[in-house]
mmCIF file of all heavy atoms in Angstrom:
data_model
loop_
_atom_site.group_PDB
_atom_site.id
_atom_site.type_symbol
_atom_site.label_atom_id
_atom_site.label_comp_id
_atom_site.label_asym_id
_atom_site.label_seq_id
_atom_site.Cartn_x
_atom_site.Cartn_y
_atom_site.Cartn_z
ATOM 1 N N LEU A 1 2.047 59.236 -48.617
ATOM 2 C CA LEU A 1 2.019 60.553 -49.309
ATOM 3 C C LEU A 1 1.196 60.489 -50.542
ATOM 4 O O LEU A 1 0.390 61.396 -50.855
ATOM 5 C CB LEU A 1 3.433 61.006 -49.601
ATOM 6 C CG LEU A 1 3.563 62.449 -50.115
ATOM 7 C CD1 LEU A 1 2.970 63.455 -49.182
ATOM 8 C CD2 LEU A 1 5.034 62.784 -50.352
ATOM 9 N N LEU A 2 1.326 59.421 -51.350
ATOM 10 C CA LEU A 2 0.549 59.268 -52.556
ATOM 11 C C LEU A 2 -0.962 59.231 -52.215
ATOM 12 O O LEU A 2 -1.808 59.876 -52.847
ATOM 13 C CB LEU A 2 0.962 58.020 -53.348
ATOM 14 C CG LEU A 2 0.160 57.692 -54.602
ATOM 15 C CD1 LEU A 2 0.132 58.868 -55.538
ATOM 16 C CD2 LEU A 2 0.723 56.459 -55.277
ATOM 17 N N ALA A 3 -1.343 58.418 -51.198
ATOM 18 C CA ALA A 3 -2.739 58.341 -50.853
ATOM 19 C C ALA A 3 -3.302 59.633 -50.379
ATOM 20 O O ALA A 3 -4.482 59.928 -50.521
ATOM 21 C CB ALA A 3 -2.928 57.229 -49.769
ATOM 22 N N SER A 4 -2.455 60.480 -49.734
ATOM 23 C CA SER A 4 -2.908 61.771 -49.273
ATOM 24 C C SER A 4 -3.321 62.693 -50.414
ATOM 25 O O SER A 4 -3.969 63.729 -50.166
ATOM 26 C CB SER A 4 -1.823 62.450 -48.440
ATOM 27 O OG SER A 4 -1.509 61.672 -47.282
ATOM 28 N N THR A 5 -2.913 62.423 -51.636
ATOM 29 C CA THR A 5 -3.329 63.229 -52.740
ATOM 30 C C THR A 5 -4.796 63.015 -53.159
ATOM 31 O O THR A 5 -5.375 63.775 -53.896
ATOM 32 C CB THR A 5 -2.476 62.937 -53.993
ATOM 33 O OG1 THR A 5 -2.747 61.582 -54.428
ATOM 34 C CG2 THR A 5 -1.014 63.132 -53.731
ATOM 35 N N GLY A 6 -5.351 61.856 -52.725
ATOM 36 C CA GLY A 6 -6.699 61.489 -53.143
ATOM 37 C C GLY A 6 -6.760 60.758 -54.467
ATOM 38 O O GLY A 6 -7.820 60.279 -54.867
ATOM 39 N N LEU A 7 -5.630 60.587 -55.107
ATOM 40 C CA LEU A 7 -5.632 59.962 -56.452
ATOM 41 C C LEU A 7 -5.877 58.426 -56.365
ATOM 42 O O LEU A 7 -6.262 57.837 -57.363
ATOM 43 C CB LEU A 7 -4.246 60.164 -57.105
ATOM 44 C CG LEU A 7 -3.889 61.627 -57.452
ATOM 45 C CD1 LEU A 7 -2.453 61.706 -57.993
ATOM 46 C CD2 LEU A 7 -4.855 62.178 -58.481
ATOM 47 N N LEU A 8 -5.662 57.838 -55.179
ATOM 48 C CA LEU A 8 -5.836 56.412 -55.060
ATOM 49 C C LEU A 8 -7.254 55.980 -54.643
ATOM 50 O O LEU A 8 -7.531 54.790 -54.447
ATOM 51 C CB LEU A 8 -4.847 55.818 -54.011
ATOM 52 C CG LEU A 8 -3.374 55.834 -54.430
ATOM 53 C CD1 LEU A 8 -2.515 55.367 -53.245
ATOM 54 C CD2 LEU A 8 -3.122 54.932 -55.618
ATOM 55 N N LYS A 9 -8.125 56.914 -54.491
ATOM 56 C CA LYS A 9 -9.525 56.620 -54.036
ATOM 57 C C LYS A 9 -10.149 55.573 -54.985
ATOM 58 O O LYS A 9 -10.231 55.765 -56.163
ATOM 59 C CB LYS A 9 -10.366 57.909 -54.024
ATOM 60 C CG LYS A 9 -11.747 57.659 -53.427
ATOM 61 C CD LYS A 9 -12.545 58.976 -53.272
ATOM 62 C CE LYS A 9 -13.860 58.763 -52.625
ATOM 63 N NZ LYS A 9 -14.625 60.037 -52.506
ATOM 64 N N GLY A 10 -10.589 54.465 -54.376
ATOM 65 C CA GLY A 10 -11.215 53.365 -55.117
ATOM 66 C C GLY A 10 -10.240 52.520 -55.873
ATOM 67 O O GLY A 10 -10.681 51.649 -56.610
ATOM 68 N N ARG A 11 -8.934 52.685 -55.638
ATOM 69 C CA ARG A 11 -7.950 51.928 -56.383
ATOM 70 C C ARG A 11 -7.109 51.065 -55.456
ATOM 71 O O ARG A 11 -7.089 51.319 -54.251
ATOM 72 C CB ARG A 11 -7.071 52.882 -57.219
ATOM 73 C CG ARG A 11 -7.815 53.563 -58.314
ATOM 74 C CD ARG A 11 -7.039 54.617 -59.049
ATOM 75 N NE ARG A 11 -7.795 55.157 -60.163
ATOM 76 C CZ ARG A 11 -7.524 56.269 -60.781
ATOM 77 N NH1 ARG A 11 -6.498 57.033 -60.366
ATOM 78 N NH2 ARG A 11 -8.277 56.721 -61.790
ATOM 79 N N ASN A 12 -6.356 50.153 -56.058
ATOM 80 C CA ASN A 12 -5.476 49.279 -55.278
ATOM 81 C C ASN A 12 -4.178 50.010 -54.903
ATOM 82 O O ASN A 12 -3.673 50.864 -55.674
ATOM 83 C CB ASN A 12 -5.124 48.024 -56.037
ATOM 84 C CG ASN A 12 -6.306 47.095 -56.210
ATOM 85 O OD1 ASN A 12 -7.233 47.094 -55.400
ATOM 86 N ND2 ASN A 12 -6.298 46.291 -57.260
ATOM 87 N N CYS A 13 -3.611 49.645 -53.808
ATOM 88 C CA CYS A 13 -2.352 50.172 -53.311
ATOM 89 C C CYS A 13 -1.643 49.167 -52.441
ATOM 90 O O CYS A 13 -2.247 48.437 -51.709
ATOM 91 C CB CYS A 13 -2.559 51.459 -52.540
ATOM 92 S SG CYS A 13 -1.023 52.278 -51.991
ATOM 93 N N ALA A 14 -0.322 49.128 -52.592
ATOM 94 C CA ALA A 14 0.536 48.284 -51.721
ATOM 95 C C ALA A 14 1.401 49.138 -50.852
ATOM 96 O O ALA A 14 1.695 50.323 -51.234
ATOM 97 C CB ALA A 14 1.400 47.333 -52.558
ATOM 98 N N THR A 15 1.810 48.649 -49.702
ATOM 99 C CA THR A 15 2.740 49.347 -48.883
ATOM 100 C C THR A 15 3.395 48.307 -47.952
ATOM 101 O O THR A 15 3.165 47.107 -48.109
ATOM 102 C CB THR A 15 2.111 50.490 -48.065
ATOM 103 O OG1 THR A 15 3.117 51.286 -47.475
ATOM 104 C CG2 THR A 15 1.162 49.950 -46.975
ATOM 105 N N HIS A 16 4.205 48.748 -47.020
ATOM 106 C CA HIS A 16 4.849 47.763 -46.092
ATOM 107 C C HIS A 16 3.776 47.109 -45.246
ATOM 108 O O HIS A 16 2.856 47.785 -44.719
ATOM 109 C CB HIS A 16 5.865 48.493 -45.211
ATOM 110 C CG HIS A 16 6.857 47.537 -44.590
ATOM 111 N ND1 HIS A 16 6.494 46.510 -43.744
ATOM 112 C CD2 HIS A 16 8.198 47.474 -44.720
ATOM 113 C CE1 HIS A 16 7.573 45.848 -43.363
ATOM 114 N NE2 HIS A 16 8.628 46.426 -43.956
ATOM 115 N N TRP A 17 3.841 45.792 -45.069
ATOM 116 C CA TRP A 17 2.836 45.072 -44.322
ATOM 117 C C TRP A 17 2.759 45.528 -42.862
ATOM 118 O O TRP A 17 1.722 45.485 -42.236
ATOM 119 C CB TRP A 17 3.063 43.542 -44.352
ATOM 120 C CG TRP A 17 4.429 43.113 -43.853
ATOM 121 C CD1 TRP A 17 5.511 42.790 -44.598
ATOM 122 C CD2 TRP A 17 4.832 42.873 -42.515
ATOM 123 N NE1 TRP A 17 6.562 42.430 -43.785
ATOM 124 C CE2 TRP A 17 6.185 42.432 -42.514
ATOM 125 C CE3 TRP A 17 4.134 42.925 -41.255
ATOM 126 C CZ2 TRP A 17 6.859 42.105 -41.340
ATOM 127 C CZ3 TRP A 17 4.831 42.622 -40.117
ATOM 128 C CH2 TRP A 17 6.168 42.206 -40.158
ATOM 129 N N MET A 18 3.910 46.043 -42.315
ATOM 130 C CA MET A 18 3.842 46.514 -40.933
ATOM 131 C C MET A 18 2.957 47.736 -40.762
ATOM 132 O O MET A 18 2.509 48.044 -39.633
ATOM 133 C CB MET A 18 5.250 46.857 -40.470
ATOM 134 C CG MET A 18 6.134 45.615 -40.229
ATOM 135 S SD MET A 18 7.764 46.092 -39.560
ATOM 136 C CE MET A 18 7.299 46.578 -37.872
ATOM 137 N N ALA A 19 2.744 48.506 -41.830
ATOM 138 C CA ALA A 19 1.960 49.753 -41.744
ATOM 139 C C ALA A 19 0.529 49.530 -42.255
ATOM 140 O O ALA A 19 -0.223 50.458 -42.362
ATOM 141 C CB ALA A 19 2.621 50.836 -42.560
ATOM 142 N N ALA A 20 0.130 48.269 -42.488
ATOM 143 C CA ALA A 20 -1.164 48.003 -43.093
ATOM 144 C C ALA A 20 -2.344 48.530 -42.232
ATOM 145 O O ALA A 20 -3.291 49.086 -42.768
ATOM 146 C CB ALA A 20 -1.324 46.499 -43.346
ATOM 147 N N ASN A 21 -2.267 48.297 -40.938
ATOM 148 C CA ASN A 21 -3.387 48.730 -40.081
ATOM 149 C C ASN A 21 -3.534 50.223 -40.067
ATOM 150 O O ASN A 21 -4.669 50.740 -40.157
ATOM 151 C CB ASN A 21 -3.168 48.215 -38.649
ATOM 152 C CG ASN A 21 -3.271 46.693 -38.519
ATOM 153 O OD1 ASN A 21 -3.933 46.061 -39.375
ATOM 154 N ND2 ASN A 21 -2.728 46.096 -37.544
ATOM 155 N N ASP A 22 -2.401 50.952 -39.992
ATOM 156 C CA ASP A 22 -2.486 52.422 -40.030
ATOM 157 C C ASP A 22 -3.021 52.884 -41.381
ATOM 158 O O ASP A 22 -3.867 53.818 -41.453
ATOM 159 C CB ASP A 22 -1.102 52.976 -39.804
ATOM 160 C CG ASP A 22 -0.653 52.927 -38.352
ATOM 161 O OD1 ASP A 22 -1.563 52.792 -37.485
ATOM 162 O OD2 ASP A 22 0.540 53.007 -38.074
ATOM 163 N N PHE A 23 -2.562 52.261 -42.435
ATOM 164 C CA PHE A 23 -2.979 52.711 -43.759
ATOM 165 C C PHE A 23 -4.503 52.532 -43.915
ATOM 166 O O PHE A 23 -5.172 53.444 -44.429
ATOM 167 C CB PHE A 23 -2.226 51.921 -44.849
ATOM 168 C CG PHE A 23 -2.406 52.478 -46.237
ATOM 169 C CD1 PHE A 23 -1.503 53.374 -46.755
ATOM 170 C CD2 PHE A 23 -3.483 52.129 -47.065
ATOM 171 C CE1 PHE A 23 -1.668 53.921 -48.010
ATOM 172 C CE2 PHE A 23 -3.711 52.632 -48.292
ATOM 173 C CZ PHE A 23 -2.778 53.530 -48.801
ATOM 174 N N ARG A 24 -5.019 51.387 -43.492
ATOM 175 C CA ARG A 24 -6.489 51.188 -43.641
ATOM 176 C C ARG A 24 -7.259 52.189 -42.822
ATOM 177 O O ARG A 24 -8.319 52.634 -43.253
ATOM 178 C CB ARG A 24 -6.840 49.749 -43.185
ATOM 179 C CG ARG A 24 -6.399 48.680 -44.163
ATOM 180 C CD ARG A 24 -7.095 47.348 -43.810
ATOM 181 N NE ARG A 24 -6.665 46.318 -44.700
ATOM 182 C CZ ARG A 24 -5.699 45.406 -44.473
ATOM 183 N NH1 ARG A 24 -5.084 45.447 -43.317
ATOM 184 N NH2 ARG A 24 -5.392 44.477 -45.337
ATOM 185 N N GLN A 25 -6.768 52.524 -41.628
ATOM 186 C CA GLN A 25 -7.473 53.540 -40.804
ATOM 187 C C GLN A 25 -7.467 54.901 -41.464
ATOM 188 O O GLN A 25 -8.469 55.592 -41.449
ATOM 189 C CB GLN A 25 -6.841 53.590 -39.454
ATOM 190 C CG GLN A 25 -7.210 52.472 -38.501
ATOM 191 C CD GLN A 25 -6.722 52.731 -37.083
ATOM 192 O OE1 GLN A 25 -5.546 53.045 -36.892
ATOM 193 N NE2 GLN A 25 -7.583 52.586 -36.118
ATOM 194 N N TRP A 26 -6.325 55.332 -42.004
ATOM 195 C CA TRP A 26 -6.193 56.644 -42.563
ATOM 196 C C TRP A 26 -6.926 56.765 -43.926
ATOM 197 O O TRP A 26 -7.450 57.828 -44.225
ATOM 198 C CB TRP A 26 -4.719 56.971 -42.803
ATOM 199 C CG TRP A 26 -3.898 57.055 -41.526
ATOM 200 C CD1 TRP A 26 -4.317 56.658 -40.250
ATOM 201 C CD2 TRP A 26 -2.560 57.524 -41.455
ATOM 202 N NE1 TRP A 26 -3.245 56.830 -39.398
ATOM 203 C CE2 TRP A 26 -2.172 57.393 -40.092
ATOM 204 C CE3 TRP A 26 -1.650 58.056 -42.351
ATOM 205 C CZ2 TRP A 26 -0.903 57.756 -39.629
ATOM 206 C CZ3 TRP A 26 -0.394 58.396 -41.916
ATOM 207 C CH2 TRP A 26 -0.036 58.289 -40.558
ATOM 208 N N PHE A 27 -6.883 55.691 -44.714
ATOM 209 C CA PHE A 27 -7.375 55.780 -46.103
ATOM 210 C C PHE A 27 -8.344 54.643 -46.353
ATOM 211 O O PHE A 27 -8.098 53.747 -47.170
ATOM 212 C CB PHE A 27 -6.189 55.731 -47.074
ATOM 213 C CG PHE A 27 -5.107 56.719 -46.814
ATOM 214 C CD1 PHE A 27 -3.861 56.346 -46.291
ATOM 215 C CD2 PHE A 27 -5.350 58.081 -47.033
ATOM 216 C CE1 PHE A 27 -2.852 57.241 -46.062
ATOM 217 C CE2 PHE A 27 -4.355 59.011 -46.775
ATOM 218 C CZ PHE A 27 -3.098 58.599 -46.279
ATOM 219 N N PRO A 28 -9.482 54.643 -45.713
ATOM 220 C CA PRO A 28 -10.461 53.563 -45.881
ATOM 221 C C PRO A 28 -11.010 53.495 -47.305
ATOM 222 O O PRO A 28 -11.519 52.434 -47.713
ATOM 223 C CB PRO A 28 -11.561 53.877 -44.878
ATOM 224 C CG PRO A 28 -11.436 55.326 -44.611
ATOM 225 C CD PRO A 28 -9.962 55.658 -44.699
ATOM 226 N N GLU A 29 -10.868 54.573 -48.054
ATOM 227 C CA GLU A 29 -11.417 54.578 -49.453
ATOM 228 C C GLU A 29 -10.447 53.964 -50.435
ATOM 229 O O GLU A 29 -10.757 53.785 -51.620
ATOM 230 C CB GLU A 29 -11.686 56.035 -49.883
ATOM 231 C CG GLU A 29 -10.465 56.892 -50.118
ATOM 232 C CD GLU A 29 -9.759 57.418 -48.855
ATOM 233 O OE1 GLU A 29 -10.188 57.083 -47.743
ATOM 234 O OE2 GLU A 29 -8.775 58.189 -49.023
ATOM 235 N N VAL A 30 -9.215 53.571 -49.958
ATOM 236 C CA VAL A 30 -8.220 52.916 -50.844
ATOM 237 C C VAL A 30 -8.224 51.432 -50.546
ATOM 238 O O VAL A 30 -8.330 51.008 -49.421
ATOM 239 C CB VAL A 30 -6.828 53.511 -50.574
ATOM 240 C CG1 VAL A 30 -5.775 52.800 -51.470
ATOM 241 C CG2 VAL A 30 -6.793 55.005 -50.788
ATOM 242 N N ASN A 31 -8.131 50.605 -51.625
ATOM 243 C CA ASN A 31 -8.126 49.163 -51.454
ATOM 244 C C ASN A 31 -6.656 48.671 -51.242
ATOM 245 O O ASN A 31 -5.912 48.541 -52.193
ATOM 246 C CB ASN A 31 -8.706 48.513 -52.736
ATOM 247 C CG ASN A 31 -8.717 46.990 -52.621
ATOM 248 O OD1 ASN A 31 -8.859 46.442 -51.485
ATOM 249 N ND2 ASN A 31 -8.584 46.299 -53.713
ATOM 250 N N LEU A 32 -6.316 48.497 -49.993
ATOM 251 C CA LEU A 32 -4.949 48.048 -49.653
ATOM 252 C C LEU A 32 -4.800 46.589 -49.985
ATOM 253 O O LEU A 32 -5.549 45.729 -49.506
ATOM 254 C CB LEU A 32 -4.637 48.350 -48.204
ATOM 255 C CG LEU A 32 -3.241 47.939 -47.757
ATOM 256 C CD1 LEU A 32 -2.211 48.824 -48.441
ATOM 257 C CD2 LEU A 32 -3.092 48.060 -46.250
ATOM 258 N N VAL A 33 -3.805 46.202 -50.759
ATOM 259 C CA VAL A 33 -3.565 44.822 -51.069
ATOM 260 C C VAL A 33 -2.208 44.421 -50.481
ATOM 261 O O VAL A 33 -1.138 44.616 -51.003
ATOM 262 C CB VAL A 33 -3.541 44.600 -52.635
ATOM 263 C CG1 VAL A 33 -4.943 44.566 -53.136
ATOM 264 C CG2 VAL A 33 -2.753 45.677 -53.363
ATOM 265 N N THR A 34 -2.245 43.931 -49.255
ATOM 266 C CA THR A 34 -1.063 43.723 -48.442
ATOM 267 C C THR A 34 -0.159 42.643 -49.004
ATOM 268 O O THR A 34 1.019 42.623 -48.727
ATOM 269 C CB THR A 34 -1.467 43.324 -47.015
ATOM 270 O OG1 THR A 34 -2.341 42.245 -47.032
ATOM 271 C CG2 THR A 34 -2.135 44.490 -46.332
ATOM 272 N N GLU A 35 -0.724 41.733 -49.799
ATOM 273 C CA GLU A 35 0.106 40.630 -50.305
ATOM 274 C C GLU A 35 0.859 41.001 -51.567
ATOM 275 O O GLU A 35 1.847 40.319 -51.932
ATOM 276 C CB GLU A 35 -0.776 39.406 -50.617
ATOM 277 C CG GLU A 35 -1.668 39.506 -51.858
ATOM 278 C CD GLU A 35 -2.919 40.387 -51.704
ATOM 279 O OE1 GLU A 35 -3.104 40.952 -50.589
ATOM 280 O OE2 GLU A 35 -3.671 40.499 -52.672
ATOM 281 N N ARG A 36 0.533 42.120 -52.189
ATOM 282 C CA ARG A 36 1.134 42.443 -53.467
ATOM 283 C C ARG A 36 2.452 43.227 -53.300
ATOM 284 O O ARG A 36 2.574 44.027 -52.387
ATOM 285 C CB ARG A 36 0.170 43.296 -54.280
ATOM 286 C CG ARG A 36 -1.135 42.572 -54.664
ATOM 287 C CD ARG A 36 -1.036 41.870 -55.997
ATOM 288 N NE ARG A 36 -1.100 42.854 -57.043
ATOM 289 C CZ ARG A 36 -2.186 43.412 -57.524
ATOM 290 N NH1 ARG A 36 -3.376 43.130 -57.047
ATOM 291 N NH2 ARG A 36 -2.121 44.281 -58.536
ATOM 292 N N ILE A 37 3.396 43.017 -54.233
ATOM 293 C CA ILE A 37 4.598 43.787 -54.254
ATOM 294 C C ILE A 37 4.439 45.010 -55.203
ATOM 295 O O ILE A 37 4.980 46.022 -54.958
ATOM 296 C CB ILE A 37 5.817 42.913 -54.669
ATOM 297 C CG1 ILE A 37 6.235 42.050 -53.465
ATOM 298 C CG2 ILE A 37 6.967 43.716 -55.161
ATOM 299 C CD1 ILE A 37 7.440 41.158 -53.729
ATOM 300 N N ILE A 38 3.652 44.818 -56.229
ATOM 301 C CA ILE A 38 3.470 45.911 -57.222
ATOM 302 C C ILE A 38 2.002 46.087 -57.520
ATOM 303 O O ILE A 38 1.272 45.097 -57.711
ATOM 304 C CB ILE A 38 4.223 45.534 -58.543
ATOM 305 C CG1 ILE A 38 5.712 45.476 -58.312
ATOM 306 C CG2 ILE A 38 3.889 46.593 -59.614
ATOM 307 C CD1 ILE A 38 6.477 44.906 -59.473
ATOM 308 N N THR A 39 1.530 47.340 -57.585
ATOM 309 C CA THR A 39 0.252 47.606 -58.168
ATOM 310 C C THR A 39 0.426 48.566 -59.337
ATOM 311 O O THR A 39 1.364 49.436 -59.292
ATOM 312 C CB THR A 39 -0.737 48.216 -57.137
ATOM 313 O OG1 THR A 39 -0.247 49.534 -56.739
ATOM 314 C CG2 THR A 39 -0.905 47.335 -55.938
ATOM 315 N N ASP A 40 -0.414 48.499 -60.295
ATOM 316 C CA ASP A 40 -0.319 49.298 -61.527
ATOM 317 C C ASP A 40 -1.766 49.611 -61.984
ATOM 318 O O ASP A 40 -2.446 48.746 -62.514
ATOM 319 C CB ASP A 40 0.429 48.541 -62.606
ATOM 320 C CG ASP A 40 0.429 49.220 -63.958
ATOM 321 O OD1 ASP A 40 -0.210 50.251 -64.116
ATOM 322 O OD2 ASP A 40 1.109 48.701 -64.883
ATOM 323 N N GLU A 41 -2.231 50.810 -61.743
ATOM 324 C CA GLU A 41 -3.583 51.215 -62.101
ATOM 325 C C GLU A 41 -3.624 52.671 -62.613
ATOM 326 O O GLU A 41 -3.282 53.567 -61.841
ATOM 327 C CB GLU A 41 -4.579 51.066 -60.932
ATOM 328 C CG GLU A 41 -4.854 49.621 -60.544
ATOM 329 C CD GLU A 41 -6.041 49.507 -59.608
ATOM 330 O OE1 GLU A 41 -6.835 50.460 -59.521
ATOM 331 O OE2 GLU A 41 -6.136 48.492 -58.898
ATOM 332 N N HIS A 42 -4.014 52.848 -63.851
ATOM 333 C CA HIS A 42 -4.242 54.182 -64.366
ATOM 334 C C HIS A 42 -3.012 55.107 -64.176
ATOM 335 O O HIS A 42 -3.178 56.299 -63.805
ATOM 336 C CB HIS A 42 -5.481 54.784 -63.748
ATOM 337 C CG HIS A 42 -6.734 53.962 -63.886
ATOM 338 N ND1 HIS A 42 -7.458 53.881 -65.059
ATOM 339 C CD2 HIS A 42 -7.331 53.143 -63.009
ATOM 340 C CE1 HIS A 42 -8.436 53.080 -64.904
ATOM 341 N NE2 HIS A 42 -8.421 52.587 -63.687
ATOM 342 N N GLY A 43 -1.832 54.576 -64.426
ATOM 343 C CA GLY A 43 -0.655 55.405 -64.302
ATOM 344 C C GLY A 43 -0.208 55.678 -62.885
ATOM 345 O O GLY A 43 0.584 56.560 -62.604
ATOM 346 N N LEU A 44 -0.779 54.927 -61.890
ATOM 347 C CA LEU A 44 -0.375 55.049 -60.474
ATOM 348 C C LEU A 44 0.163 53.679 -60.082
ATOM 349 O O LEU A 44 -0.450 52.614 -60.251
ATOM 350 C CB LEU A 44 -1.591 55.401 -59.634
ATOM 351 C CG LEU A 44 -2.241 56.728 -59.908
ATOM 352 C CD1 LEU A 44 -3.586 56.856 -59.187
ATOM 353 C CD2 LEU A 44 -1.327 57.886 -59.521
ATOM 354 N N TYR A 45 1.370 53.701 -59.503
ATOM 355 C CA TYR A 45 2.072 52.464 -59.092
ATOM 356 C C TYR A 45 2.383 52.535 -57.630
ATOM 357 O O TYR A 45 2.592 53.585 -57.044
ATOM 358 C CB TYR A 45 3.393 52.337 -59.877
ATOM 359 C CG TYR A 45 3.262 52.467 -61.362
ATOM 360 C CD1 TYR A 45 3.390 53.716 -62.016
ATOM 361 C CD2 TYR A 45 3.042 51.360 -62.164
ATOM 362 C CE1 TYR A 45 3.289 53.837 -63.415
ATOM 363 C CE2 TYR A 45 2.941 51.462 -63.547
ATOM 364 C CZ TYR A 45 3.076 52.717 -64.138
ATOM 365 O OH TYR A 45 2.976 52.851 -65.495
ATOM 366 N N SER A 46 2.483 51.394 -57.023
ATOM 367 C CA SER A 46 2.963 51.312 -55.595
ATOM 368 C C SER A 46 3.705 50.006 -55.414
ATOM 369 O O SER A 46 3.563 49.104 -56.207
ATOM 370 C CB SER A 46 1.743 51.436 -54.651
ATOM 371 O OG SER A 46 0.877 50.307 -54.807
#
């Protein structure tokens, strides 16, 4: 839902590793970091 806002474009994001393939397909402009538990960029956290 956060990525659907467009706010994560060009930024790092974490999510459940089971959904990583779907996330990359839907939001190729977001840098998915599958190994991370927390991301913190410009007031956006995941």
Side-chain angles (χ1 to χ4, degrees):
L1 187 57
L2 177 55
S4 297
T5 66
L7 296 174
L8 290 175
K9 186 174 182 180
R11 292 173 176 162
N12 290 334
C13 181
T15 191
H16 200 299
W17 58 263
M18 288 185 69
N21 291 338
D22 285 339
F23 191 93
R24 287 194 182 98
Q25 282 190 310
W26 297 10
F27 307 108
E29 72 282 2
V30 179
N31 180 31
L32 182 64
V33 283
T34 53
E35 73 283 2
R36 297 269 288 278
I37 283 181
I38 296 169
T39 66
D40 173 356
E41 290 192 18
H42 305 282
L44 298 169
Y45 309 90
S46 63

